[in-house]
Amino acid sequence: GFIHSVAHSKWLHGVECQLPNNTKLDKLRKAVVKALSKGLKTNRSPYLVLATGHDPFVDPEAAAFRRILSRLRSLAFKDPAAAARLVSCAKKKRRTCSATSNGAANVLAVVLSRLNWSFLEDESMTFSRPGDTPIDLLFGSKKNFHEELARSVRAMLLARVPARHDWQGELDLHIDIAKSRILEDASLASFSDSELAQNAIQILPK
């Protein structure tokens, strides 16, 4: 709550027309991870910490994406024609836009590209997602929309986690979000607590 209400609220205004550059996003991301670590040893990959955490929207980039897509969703309910024009423009700009491009259509094109969402129809508010069901921005409640978006955000962050080869001969396995959250939980930081959870962790599906 503190990160959303105090930290992110100070810079999110206007992201619909201009995203922060990657340098600023990385600086914010490291600050968020440091705040979440609470003195524990910082993980080498901020993306892994944020992707497996309780709320992926504490990631600054994810927070910006949620604001941008929430505004698009609100616009689609209030003025469907205007929202359709914006989506159509974003589709045209997807191949030429960059993170430094400004304007609502350019920014939306960048967001959709980074989330790896594809357009189903020219003016549709439904997008396809690799390895997941299509997402309809107009379907369900705001809570449902945030939950659907959270899955895409986690996938985006996990895709950026660098491969690790700490154990020679071992393959990099698929990252299990549920297991990672259990193992990263601060309450399991001591040996006695982790010993109590060991049996439960061992029976989790691989």
Side-chain angles (χ1 to χ4, degrees):
F2 176 83
I3 292 174
H4 286 297
S5 61
V6 178
H8 289 341
S9 63
K10 293 182 178 180
W11 64 270
L12 278 174
H13 179 72
V15 294
E16 299 89 348
C17 294
Q18 178 66 68
L19 286 171
N21 61 47
N22 290 334
T23 301
K24 291 181 179 179
L25 284 174
D26 286 341
K27 186 176 181 180
L28 284 167
R29 183 174 288 117
K30 289 177 182 178
V32 168
V33 171
K34 185 177 181 180
L36 294 175
S37 298
K38 298 179 181 179
L40 296 177
K41 184 178 179 181
T42 303
N43 192 293
R44 286 187 294 177
S45 174
Y47 296 112
L48 181 59
V49 174
L50 296 170
T52 58
H54 174 69
D55 180 8
F57 296 112
V58 294
D59 177 78
E61 190 173 8
F65 289 5
R66 181 172 69 171
R67 181 183 176 96
I68 292 164
L69 293 173
S70 293
R71 292 298 175 88
L72 174 61
R73 186 173 187 266
S74 297
L75 178 63
F77 282 121
K78 296 176 182 177
D79 191 341
R85 288 194 298 270
L86 177 56
V87 170
S88 180
C89 289
K91 183 177 182 179
K92 295 176 183 177
K93 294 178 180 293
R94 185 159 187 173
R95 293 185 179 182
T96 59
C97 66
S98 69
T100 57
S101 303
N102 56 17
N106 281 308
V107 169
L108 179 59
V110 171
V111 171
L112 297 175
S113 178
R114 291 186 181 178
L115 289 173
N116 206 14
W117 289 5
S118 300
F119 298 87
L120 290 182
E121 297 177 12
D122 190 40
E123 298 178 355
S124 173
M125 291 295 138
T126 303
F127 303 89
S128 63
R129 302 180 287 180
D132 204 341
T133 57
I135 180 169
D136 183 354
L137 299 190
L138 303 183
F139 176 78
S141 64
K142 182 186 294 186
K143 180 181 179 181
N144 177 77
F145 165 66
H146 288 169
E147 290 174 349
E148 290 289 321
L149 178 57
R151 291 212 307 272
S152 292
V153 165
R154 292 185 193 276
M156 176 189 74
L157 295 173
L158 285 172
R160 299 179 185 177
V161 176
R164 292 178 57 176
H165 299 279
D166 295 339
W167 298 279
Q168 294 297 323
E170 292 286 341
L171 297 175
D172 290 313
L173 302 178
H174 172 71
I175 297 172
D176 187 292
I177 293 177
K179 289 183 183 179
S180 298
R181 284 183 59 183
I182 293 173
L183 296 172
E184 289 286 344
D185 194 308
S187 66
L188 302 179
S190 70
F191 176 77
S192 59
D193 290 334
S194 61
E195 189 175 23
L196 290 174
Q198 185 175 3
N199 292 334
I201 293 173
Q202 288 177 342
I203 65 174
L204 288 173
K206 296 187 182 296

